[in-house]
Amino acid sequence: MKIYILITFCLFVFSHSNYAQTKLDVVVENKIDSLMELMTLEEKVGQMNQYNGFWNVTGPVPEKGDASSKFEHLKNGWVGSMLNVTGVEEVRKVQKIVVEESRLGIPLIIGYDVIHGYRTQSPIPLAESASWDMDVIKASAAMAADEASATGINWTFAPMVDISRDARWGRVMEGAGEDPYLGSQIAKARITGFQGEDLSAPNTIAATAKHFAGYGFSEAGRDYNTVDVGTSTLYNTIFPPFMAAIEADVKTFMNSFNVLNGIPATGNSFLQRDVLKEEWDYQGFVVSDWGSMAEMVAHGYSKDAKSAAESAANAGSDMDMESYLYVKHLKNLVDEGKVSVDKIDDAVRRILRVKYELGLFDDPYKYCNEEREKAVIGSDKNKAIALDMAEKSIVLLKNENQLLPLKKKGMNIAVIGPLAADKNSPLGGWRLAAEDNSAVSVMEGLKKYKGNKLYHEKGVELVKGKEAFVFEIDINTTDRTGIAEAVEVAKNKDVVVMVLGEHGFQSGEGRSRANLDLPGLQQELLEAVYAVNKNIVLVLMNGRPLTINWADENIPAIVEAWQLGSTSGDAIAKVLYGDYNPSGKLPMTFPRNVGQVPLYYNYLSTGRPTYPGDDLVFWTHYTDEVNTPLYEFGYGLSYTEFTYDNLKLNTNSLSKTGELKVSFDLSNTGKYEGKEVVQLYIQDLFASIARPVKELKDFKMVSLKPGETKNVSFTITTKTLEFYSANNIWESETGDFKVFIGGSSTTQLASDFTLND
Ligand code: BGC
């Protein structure tokens, strides 16, 4: 009988734990105690070691070509987890080695970047966030979990909950944008989608809140760069989505590549021990980011690889992703007394806990079912979920003279641009398991509407050369030969649909940009077409906010279609033809000029906020650009019109135990049925630290028929007004507040109230 079966039998016999946290399942804790009694130090360290599979590299590899030693380590029980092993056949192989050949047969946890779908791609996370629709976001994550788990994966490195205010940073595509409140709701929706009600079910997977912490604040938006944030930003802006993730019972955290106060996150015990594991009493485990342990040497924080392992273990990094440092050094570090056995035990206990919760000890092959794999991957049901998500992610930025929706019959439409027939870019930058060129293109989506005639020209190429995942995208800036043909085709057409934007690999990890304009020759193409036909609908595909001032001034209709995944073209066609009335709102500010970045709506009140008059220059402004964004956070139009009216507060004096009801009328004054995301913001006028000029505190999605009015209400309590104060605690402070209501952060209605003791 294999020892691991023996363990299951003996678990209760050995159980002696007094591990008493109420949140924990005593039975599981007892099982862990029993198992840990049987483990050697090497086997414990093995649980803390994660290896990449044998292909599919998502970061630099420290030692290439050592697959045979990985197999050896699996047999010895020196590997607790693998990432990037995909497909039932492959997962079964590696699982079989540890289960049948290692001494204790402790199953592996299999991780993968299931970021916005597995084979079926949902929109990139930034796009999904534009839906502000938590049910659909949750359904999209559940769909991803369903597919991933059917291929043997039981752990995703998602959601990325890093708040970012810098559109230059390529990874804004992977997050929920700039706002901590919206980001927190989305973190919860994604986690509950991935993990479901029952983590041990075969179609749910463990989630990861990443990257802890501050990664979204890399200076100048350059990936892996220094981060320098103060306490208030850390607590009031960066931490809330991580706290929300814990509320949603996220099973793991990933640390980050950056420093915080000069200390790399991986070796940072303030972050991982003091805040996460003590202040927040987190019971899951922390995986390092790819190679981040070894990178502490490059940071100049650790003098060598061994001391990097020491710092990481002591600081609370429980699992080493691809640095190979724990497996090499941790046992010696314990023997030398540099890392305590207690710390090792704590890390191992956390890792085993998640394995138990996933049900891997009951059946290590529970995610390895070939029939399920075939039935689930890329199914029509999953495509329908991705399509629903895609429609809801689209944001209508401009629609002059109601150019949209398009008539379904009798029109000649030119469809122009390098992304119009592209089936690859819409899949986005994190589509590891998707088939290349598998997205529905805009052309294909539009063709399904048979009543109009389509004429297609690319105009310009977006990239030169190969499109490989790991390489820089080479933007073609010289070949103008296609522009004249595109112009010719655009002439005399009723409408021109131009599909422009970024290549799918131009955003994402390691894809920062110093320029936010339309890449390559696309602006030139746009202007050339405009010169012969002004009836343009610009469909944008991009992984980040872009600076599109010229388009905003000149082009009558602009649709933000991000990178919408497998069903992209169908969703875009439905919106262009009015079969879905757009309801998305921007989760991130669109600047006018890259020089304004970081630009975000919830900036702190400053000492010189307004123009003092008399041509005086001494106020916060630029001499060559306005302060305001092109499109503000929360902004997005519909084919119908909404008006806000009749704001009422049931009291202007809120007590610390009381409730304040804010109500108003929302009317649909346009011609179409539509949905509006109504948003509630507050401003704390005076506090122990400077507070944002506006902060999102609640939102609701309201559906209205033409001519219909609904009374909408929100409730504010003292909890709504809490922040991390100068006392270094979460509290609300008495005093005066403003409340704002509207369809974007610019807001339409305002009133005041006071918080009293
Ligand atoms: C990224 C992580 C990702 C990991 C594994 C790293 O480079 O920063 O977000 O989960 O690779 O692919």
Side-chain angles (χ1 to χ4, degrees):
M1 195 191 311
K2 285 290 149 203
I3 293 186
Y4 110 88
I5 304 174
L6 198 81
I7 298 161
T8 333
F9 176 74
C10 298
L11 290 170
F12 293 96
V13 183
F14 287 119
S15 112
H16 68 277
S17 171
N18 56 0
Y19 208 78
Q21 277 99 328
T22 44
K23 283 205 280 195
L24 300 176
D25 178 336
V26 181
V27 177
V28 169
E29 297 309 308
N30 287 346
K31 288 180 180 178
I32 296 171
D33 284 339
S34 307
L35 178 54
M36 283 178 59
E37 291 217 337
L38 300 175
M39 293 171 79
T40 62
L41 180 56
E42 273 122 323
E43 284 164 343
K44 287 180 181 173
V45 169
Q47 288 303 304
M48 299 167 70
N49 178 35
Q50 183 187 52
Y51 280 149
N52 187 47
F54 311 103
W55 61 95
N56 216 349
V57 169
T58 49
V61 186
E63 288 172 28
K64 284 193 178 157
D66 60 348
S68 60
S69 76
K70 283 185 187 170
F71 281 118
E72 229 20 67
H73 289 196
L74 286 165
K75 281 187 201 162
N76 294 345
W78 295 347
V79 188
S81 169
M82 294 200 76
L83 77 151
N84 294 336
V85 179
T86 53
V88 166
E89 200 186 332
E90 297 302 321
V91 172
R92 190 188 286 283
K93 270 190 218 161
V94 289
Q95 198 69 287
K96 208 164 175 244
I97 299 172
V98 294
V99 168
E100 293 186 8
E101 297 186 48
S102 75
R103 196 178 72 92
L104 293 175
I106 300 173
L108 296 166
I109 175 169
I110 306 285
Y112 197 67
D113 290 285
V114 185
I115 307 295
H116 52 103
Y118 181 77
R119 181 70 45 78
T120 307
Q121 295 297 302
S122 292
I124 57 169
L126 186 66
E128 288 195 352
S129 306
S131 72
W132 296 52
D133 190 327
M134 300 308 124
D135 293 339
V136 186
I137 292 175
K138 186 174 159 189
S140 162
M143 181 277 280
D146 192 32
E147 285 203 1
S149 61
T151 69
I153 290 154
N154 40 48
W155 178 24
T156 175
F157 306 125
M160 185 187 99
V161 303
D162 298 306
I163 297 299
S164 184
R165 300 162 164 177
D166 197 327
R168 293 169 298 183
W169 190 47
R171 291 193 89 165
V172 296
M173 59 78 72
E174 198 180 339
E178 73 191 35
D179 182 66
Y181 180 78
L182 178 63
S184 298
Q185 307 313 308
I186 291 173
K188 288 195 254 185
R190 290 204 170 118
I191 291 160
T192 49
F194 288 129
Q195 297 190 164
E197 301 272 296
D198 174 10
L199 193 63
S200 71
N203 62 347
T204 57
I205 58 180
T208 308
K210 71 185 190 187
H211 304 84
F212 197 59
Y215 185 41
F217 279 70
S218 53
E219 278 182 359
R222 208 175 69 233
D223 213 354
Y224 320 122
N225 199 12
T226 298
V227 167
D228 194 3
V229 291
T231 308
S232 174
T233 301
L234 186 63
Y235 275 83
N236 288 308
T237 305
I238 294 172
F239 280 167
F242 288 101
M243 297 164 79
I246 296 180
E247 239 181 82
D249 197 23
V250 71
K251 294 299 167 189
T252 71
F253 263 54
M254 185 184 289
N255 59 34
S256 53
F257 292 123
N258 56 282
V259 295
L260 188 74
N261 283 322
I263 301 179
T266 309
N268 198 311
S269 33
F270 162 73
L271 281 173
Q272 298 176 113
R273 290 218 185 269
D274 303 353
V275 174
L276 179 63
K277 292 178 181 172
E278 279 167 37
E279 201 176 309
W280 299 346
D281 194 23
Y282 182 58
Q283 305 296 340
F285 73 85
V286 181
V287 63
S288 81
D289 203 347
W290 179 292
S292 66
M293 268 178 209
E295 287 174 19
M296 289 201 286
V297 178
H299 274 293
Y301 178 72
S302 301
K303 72 174 184 309
D304 53 28
K306 188 171 174 190
S307 73
E310 179 185 337
S311 300
N314 283 326
S317 292
D318 301 311
M319 188 181 276
D320 171 4
M321 179 192 286
E322 276 294 300
S323 281
Y324 301 10
L325 296 192
Y326 279 177
V327 69
K328 267 189 207 145
H329 302 295
L330 211 42
K331 180 176 176 300
N332 291 342
L333 287 164
V334 175
D335 291 343
E336 290 161 20
K338 291 189 173 145
V339 175
S340 70
V341 173
D342 282 358
K343 288 211 169 99
I344 303 289
D345 282 352
D346 177 62
V348 174
R349 172 178 295 284
R350 290 167 182 275
I351 294 163
L352 293 177
R353 184 177 292 136
V354 177
K355 293 187 178 184
Y356 272 108
E357 288 175 340
L358 281 164
L360 286 166
F361 282 97
D362 296 328
D363 177 5
Y365 304 109
K366 68 187 302 185
Y367 302 93
C368 297
N369 175 338
E370 282 82 356
E371 274 161 35
R372 197 179 144 231
E373 185 176 37
K374 270 191 220 117
V376 168
I377 302 301
S379 69
D380 288 348
K381 180 177 150 232
N382 289 350
K383 290 214 179 93
I385 294 169
L387 176 60
D388 186 38
M389 185 75 258
E391 290 163 14
K392 290 174 176 156
S393 303
I394 292 172
V395 185
L396 181 64
L397 296 176
K398 193 175 170 193
N399 192 20
E400 229 169 53
N401 308 323
Q402 301 229 310
L403 182 56
L404 289 172
L406 300 174
K407 280 195 231 99
K408 288 183 180 162
K409 269 191 210 142
M411 292 214 296
N412 289 314
I413 304 180
V415 186
I416 289 173
L419 290 164
D422 191 319
K423 293 171 67 60
N424 218 16
S425 278
L427 297 172
W430 261 128
R431 52 15 211 258
L432 297 184
E435 275 164 26
D436 282 346
N437 293 307
S438 60
V440 179
S441 71
V442 176
M443 268 307 281
E444 288 170 331
L446 290 175
K447 270 187 198 155
K448 291 180 189 164
Y449 288 80
K450 309 261 185 241
N452 291 326
K453 268 187 118 174
L454 304 179
Y455 303 81
H456 167 59
E457 275 301 326
K458 238 183 182 180
V460 295
E461 292 291 336
L462 198 50
V463 293
K464 263 201 286 223
K466 277 178 76 176
E467 293 193 350
F469 173 66
V470 283
F471 300 116
E472 296 277 343
I473 294 300
D474 189 0
I475 299 301
N476 178 359
T477 50
T478 51
D479 187 358
R480 294 183 161 78
T481 49
I483 296 183
E485 283 153 62
V487 167
E488 221 22 67
V489 164
K491 278 183 189 160
N492 309 320
K493 298 294 180 300
D494 298 301
V495 175
V496 184
V497 174
M498 293 200 68
V499 191
L500 308 179
E502 294 184 306
H503 186 274
F505 290 147
Q506 246 184 311
S507 54
E509 186 177 347
R511 272 94 171 173
S512 297
R513 291 185 62 194
N515 183 333
L516 297 175
D517 296 342
L518 286 169
L521 293 171
Q522 293 181 100
Q523 180 66 30
E524 207 175 306
L525 174 69
L526 180 62
E527 292 183 28
V529 171
Y530 179 79
V532 298
N533 192 337
K534 299 195 170 17
N535 246 4
I536 295 177
V537 176
L538 172 60
V539 175
L540 289 170
M541 282 188 189
N542 40 295
R544 53 157 66 80
L546 296 176
T547 44
I548 48 157
N549 299 341
W550 187 90
D552 177 67
E553 262 168 45
N554 297 286
I555 302 300
I558 307 178
V559 174
E560 176 52 76
W562 316 103
Q563 286 143 359
L564 294 175
S566 304
T567 62
S568 171
D570 286 334
I572 294 167
K574 279 182 85 173
V575 163
L576 296 188
Y577 279 116
D579 284 342
Y580 184 81
N581 184 357
S583 51
K585 302 275 187 181
L586 294 178
M588 229 183 141
T589 303
F590 273 46
R592 296 172 191 273
N593 188 316
V594 71
Q596 295 176 303
V597 171
L599 185 67
Y600 49 99
Y601 85 94
N602 49 356
Y603 55 92
L604 299 187
S605 298
T606 59
R608 296 185 177 191
T610 44
Y611 173 55
D614 298 332
D615 284 339
L616 283 175
V617 294
F618 307 111
W619 66 292
T620 180
H621 75 299
Y622 300 99
T623 54
D624 55 0
E625 185 56 274
V626 294
N627 287 353
T628 54
L630 184 62
Y631 304 119
E632 72 274 13
F633 171 83
Y635 171 80
L637 303 172
S638 161
Y639 292 149
T640 196
E641 305 263 318
F642 296 104
T643 55
Y644 289 75
D645 212 356
N646 204 16
L647 178 67
K648 284 194 183 123
L649 273 53
N650 70 335
T651 170
N652 292 95
S653 165
L654 173 66
S655 79
K656 284 218 167 173
T657 52
E659 277 187 4
L660 189 157
K661 202 167 152 207
V662 181
S663 63
F664 59 96
D665 290 335
L666 180 75
S667 306
N668 181 344
T669 50
K671 289 192 293 200
Y672 299 87
E673 183 167 355
K675 282 186 292 184
E676 169 80 331
V677 178
V678 295
Q679 301 159 40
L680 172 121
Y681 296 82
I682 60 131
Q683 183 186 14
D684 190 345
L685 292 176
F686 166 75
S688 60
I689 54 171
R691 303 290 297 127
V693 293
K694 261 179 199 171
E695 287 177 275
L696 180 72
K697 287 293 174 183
D698 209 346
F699 58 87
K700 271 183 189 162
M701 175 99 65
V702 184
S703 294
L704 289 178
K705 298 204 163 51
E708 196 184 2
T709 296
K710 274 186 188 162
N711 188 259
V712 185
S713 66
F714 290 109
T715 304
I716 294 176
T717 67
T718 182
K719 188 96 193 121
T720 322
L721 310 177
E722 277 183 1
F723 64 103
Y724 197 75
S725 75
N727 294 323
N728 291 334
I729 53 168
W730 293 93
E731 61 179 338
S732 58
E733 293 177 0
T734 54
D736 294 336
F737 290 80
K738 271 189 187 301
V739 55
F740 308 90
I741 295 287
S744 82
S745 56
T746 301
T747 64
Q748 277 87 347
L749 307 170
S751 187
D752 328 88
F753 67 93
T754 307
L755 176 69
N756 300 304
D757 274 325

